[in-house]
Amino acid sequence: METVKRSQLEIQKAYELAKILGVNRIIFHPGGGFQNRKEGLEQLIAALNETVPGLDLSIHLYPEIGEKVNQLGSLDEIIEICKRVPIAYPCIDFAHLHARELGKDKLLQTHFHVYPVDYTERGEKVHKAFGDKKEETQLSLFEEDFEYYPKAEDYITAIKEKGLAPITICEAHNTQDTGAILMKSLYQK
């Protein structure tokens, strides 16, 4: 319990420092040393929620995917923390994710579903076709770009740069065949 109290004090100190520095994100590793992983996660969530009432809510906590398998910080654990701690948002460290959960063998056999999507605050609204344009009132990752994301070109560029050839399924709205052909042609360029 002493470790939990020390960690809570460290978070409070980080909040004070964040205010002084004018930053609104505190990245942290969930930690290790728990006898039981599930109990450790529950203890961490409870401690964070116990600490939240005294904090500036404009500053958010970002639990980071941990680098070691024996520490808390798997993708599922990060998601669970973010679901249950109101000021927590995920810090996805792709190198840590790759090192602890994927490895080259898993990465080379990954299966992707790729298609642009329209979404609301609640999540996915409808699948779209590659190249479909949005109206100005719709949500966008980038305000100046009215094409739906993800784009086929971005996805293909990323996997080609890494030398990957994953199974890729196109679920674009009513254009699965043309979307698949588009991605294949981009890959073969």
Side-chain angles (χ1 to χ4, degrees):
M1 214 47 166
E2 185 179 319
T3 303
V4 172
K5 291 294 179 201
R6 266 197 325 266
S7 295
Q8 288 174 312
L9 286 174
E10 291 301 318
I11 287 177
Q12 290 167 343
K13 286 181 194 175
Y15 265 80
E16 292 305 315
L17 186 57
K19 284 194 276 187
I20 293 167
L21 296 173
V23 297
N24 63 358
R25 294 177 184 221
I26 297 172
I27 314 304
F28 73 98
H29 284 256
F34 299 104
Q35 295 295 328
N36 177 298
R37 193 173 196 95
K38 187 173 177 126
E39 288 174 11
L41 181 61
E42 291 301 319
Q43 186 178 13
L44 171 67
I45 290 169
L48 290 172
N49 281 324
E50 184 180 298
T51 307
V52 167
L55 301 176
D56 177 345
L57 299 183
S58 68
I59 300 171
H60 298 140
L61 288 172
Y62 286 79
E64 181 181 349
I65 289 180
E67 70 273 11
K68 305 276 189 215
V69 176
N70 64 345
Q71 297 174 335
L72 289 178
S74 70
L75 180 58
D76 289 340
E77 289 163 344
I78 297 301
I79 290 168
E80 188 65 21
I81 294 165
C82 293
K83 283 180 180 178
R84 295 176 50 200
V85 178
I87 59 170
Y89 297 86
C91 174
I92 308 297
D93 183 316
F94 286 104
H96 291 172
L97 181 64
H98 174 67
R100 77 177 280 142
E101 297 191 31
L102 293 177
K104 189 172 184 177
D105 181 55
K106 295 288 184 189
L107 187 60
L108 291 175
Q109 304 224 18
T110 301
H111 180 109
F112 290 103
H113 291 187
V114 180
Y115 53 92
V117 65
D118 187 11
Y119 62 96
T120 68
E121 293 83 10
R122 293 181 168 172
E124 181 182 302
K125 181 177 175 184
V126 64
H127 293 205
K128 301 302 280 185
F130 288 117
D132 278 358
K133 303 288 186 209
K134 294 182 270 186
E135 297 172 20
E136 289 185 35
T137 58
Q138 293 171 297
L139 295 174
S140 176
L141 291 174
F142 307 101
E143 290 182 25
E144 71 282 354
D145 190 349
F146 293 104
E147 192 170 322
Y148 288 97
Y149 280 83
K151 293 182 179 183
E153 297 85 355
D154 298 339
Y155 168 73
I156 295 300
T157 299
I159 64 168
K160 283 180 76 171
E161 283 178 2
K162 294 299 176 192
L164 302 175
I167 298 297
T168 302
I169 305 299
C170 177
E171 292 187 355
H173 180 66
N174 292 333
T175 58
Q176 293 89 345
D177 53 349
T178 56
I181 291 168
L182 169 66
M183 287 191 288
K184 183 177 181 179
S185 69
L186 289 168
Y187 189 83
Q188 292 176 335
K189 269 188 184 177

